[in-house]
Amino acid sequence: MSIPGPGGQGLQLTPFRGLRYVAERVGSLAAVTSPPYDVVVRPEGLRELETADPYNIVRLILPQAGTPEARNRQAAETLRRWQADGVLAPDPEPALYVYEQRDGPTLQRGLIGALRLSPREEGIVLPHEEVMPHVVEDRADLMRATAAHLEPLLLAYRGNGNGNGTSESGASESGAQGNGGSGNGAAGQGTGGAARVIERTILREPLLSTTTEDGVDHHLWRVTNPSDLVEVATDLRHHQALIADGHHRWATYLRLREERREPGPWDFGLVLLVDTARYPLRVRAIHRLLRRLPPEQALPAVRQAFRVRTVDGPLPRALETLAEAAEAARAEPGTPNAFLLAGDGRFHLLDRPDPELLARTVPDERPEAWRTLDATVLHHTLLDQLWNVPDTPEHIGYLHDSAAAVEQAERLGGTAVLMHPVREDVVHELARQGIAMPHKSTSFGPKPATGLVLRSLTLG
C-alpha cells in the first residue's frame, strides 16, 4: 500500500527511548510478558499471569481494583514504583527496535517505533473496524494516568519485497487462509530500505531473547545508526498501513492527542510495523460469548430464519465443519453466512439465512462485501432482531480463543457464537473504501508480546 502523489508524507516512524525490564530484577523475561490486554482470557488467564511473576506487565495493562479510578491510579503508582526500584529502566538513547517472533515454521519480523499520528481522512493509517466508545474511554483513562504506551499496536504495510514470505503452517484453528511468513523472507531477498535495515540488524547479537510459555521465540534488537534510521524513514514515507490489531488503542491515541494544544510526545503512538509482502499475517476470527442467552432460548429463535443442524464434536472437528459450510455458503448467492453455536455440550451449525430477513435487517447503503460479512449479519440480524441482545459488556464477551468461549458459555449457561475468519482481501478492500467493519470482526497475528518494550511519554 503506497501513498500516491507528491510529497510522500506517508508513515513516519521515529525512534524513542524504550522502557524495558531489567533482566536481573525479574524471574525471567518470559514470566513478565502478556498477550495484548484484549486477548487475556479473564478471569483465569488474568490470575495465571498475575501469579507468574510479581512484575508481570498485566498489572499495568489490566490493573485490578474496586473502581476504574482506583485501577488506573494503581497502574500509575505501580509503573512509577517499578522504575524507581530499577525493575524497568529506559534505554540510553532513542532507537527503533527490530522485533522477531518465531513459532515453528512461522516467522515474523517488524519494526517497533513511535508513529506520527494521522486522522483517517489523510489515508496514511487505515482502520478497518469500528470501535466501542467505552473501551476507548477505558484505555484513554489508563494512558492518561500512566503517561505511557504499554503495548504496541500491530500495523501492516506492503513493502517493496518480493513477497516470498509465504506460509508453511497452513490454516488457523478455524480454517483461515494466508498465515505468517516462512523463512523465505530471509536476509538478502528484500529490496526495500526498511527490509535491508532489518536484514543487517538481525545479524547482530539480540538485545534480548526469550521463549514464552506458548513456545514462541522472541528476539529484539536496537537500531540507532543514523544512516539506518534515515534509510527506514525514506522508505516508509512512501507507504500507508492497515491497522491489523489495536483499533481501540489507535482511537485512544487520536483522542489524547486532540486534548493537547502543543506538539509533543502525544503526537506519536507505539506501533509494530510489519511488511506483509515479506511476512503475511494470519487472519483469525473473534468469537462472541452471549453471557445471558442460554442455547435453549437461542436455538428456537433462529430455526425459522436459518438452517440449524447439530454437528459432531470435538471442537476442532466442529470448527472444520464450520469452515466447510462457510466455503460452501460463499458459492451460494445471497446466503454466504455460517455460524457455530455452543454452550449446551453440543455444537449447532447455522447457515443458509433467509434472504428476505437479511434484506430487512441489514442496512443497504453499504457495499455488498460489508453487508455479507458474518459480523454484520450477526449483529444486525441475530443479535438485534432475533435474539434482542444488547451489545454491552455485561451481555457480550469477545474472545479470541474458541475453546475458552465454549468453556465459559458452558460454565455460565450462556451461548458461544463461533465465527469463521474474514478473508484478508475483503478487509483490505473495505479499508481502502473507508468502510469500517463491525468491531471485533478480525484478529490478525502473530500479535506482539506485551512487556518487551514500553514507551514512556515523560522520557526525553
Side-chain angles (χ1 to χ4, degrees), residues 164-406:
N164 281 346
T166 53
S167 169
E168 294 179 4
S169 56
S172 73
E173 65 170 358
S174 50
Q177 66 292 321
N179 293 3
S182 73
N184 293 341
Q189 293 188 7
T191 60
R196 281 197 299 266
V197 171
I198 290 174
E199 289 162 2
R200 290 196 298 267
T201 301
I202 62 172
L203 299 177
R204 305 198 307 261
E205 188 71 19
L207 180 66
L208 65 85
S209 297
T210 190
T211 302
T212 44
E213 190 178 55
D214 55 6
V216 178
D217 297 324
H218 305 264
H219 305 281
L220 197 72
W221 293 262
R222 257 196 307 256
V223 179
T224 58
N225 184 283
S227 62
D228 287 343
L229 297 175
V230 169
E231 189 170 357
V232 169
T234 302
D235 181 12
L236 293 182
R237 69 187 178 91
H238 298 292
H239 295 285
Q240 63 183 172
L242 178 78
I243 301 177
D245 184 69
H247 283 80
H248 290 91
R249 282 166 284 165
W250 181 259
T252 301
Y253 290 166
L254 294 177
R255 173 182 292 191
L256 296 180
R257 185 192 64 170
E258 291 173 359
E259 295 176 357
R260 287 156 176 82
R261 297 177 181 268
E262 299 298 325
W266 296 90
D267 294 337
F268 299 82
L270 183 63
V271 306
L272 167 62
L273 196 58
V274 174
D275 177 0
T276 56
R278 298 171 58 76
Y279 305 106
L281 298 176
R282 291 191 301 251
V283 187
R284 291 179 173 170
I286 301 177
H287 311 290
R288 274 58 170 171
L289 171 64
L290 310 184
R291 308 180 196 275
R292 300 182 181 181
L293 181 69
E296 58 266 27
Q297 294 181 19
L299 288 167
V302 298
R303 290 191 186 278
Q304 300 303 314
F306 285 77
R307 182 175 67 170
V308 181
R309 292 174 288 159
T310 300
V311 298
D312 293 333
L315 178 59
R317 183 174 180 181
L319 288 170
E320 289 178 2
T321 303
L322 172 63
E324 293 166 0
E327 291 302 321
R330 290 190 182 113
E332 300 181 22
T335 58
N337 308 107
F339 307 93
L340 192 66
L341 269 56
D344 60 355
R346 296 178 296 172
F347 299 101
H348 309 276
L349 180 68
L350 277 59
D351 63 356
R352 297 187 182 179
D354 178 4
E356 293 185 2
L357 176 64
L358 297 184
R360 292 198 311 270
T361 57
V362 175
D364 61 3
E365 70 274 9
R366 298 289 186 90
E368 182 181 2
W370 181 90
R371 297 197 308 271
T372 56
L373 289 169
D374 285 341
T376 298
V377 172
L378 171 63
H379 283 265
H380 286 274
T381 304
L382 286 166
L383 295 175
D384 291 350
Q385 183 72 24
L386 299 180
W387 290 332
N388 195 28
V389 174
D391 193 359
T392 58
E394 55 267 27
H395 286 90
I396 303 179
Y398 294 86
L399 286 85
H400 293 70
D401 183 80
S402 57
V406 173

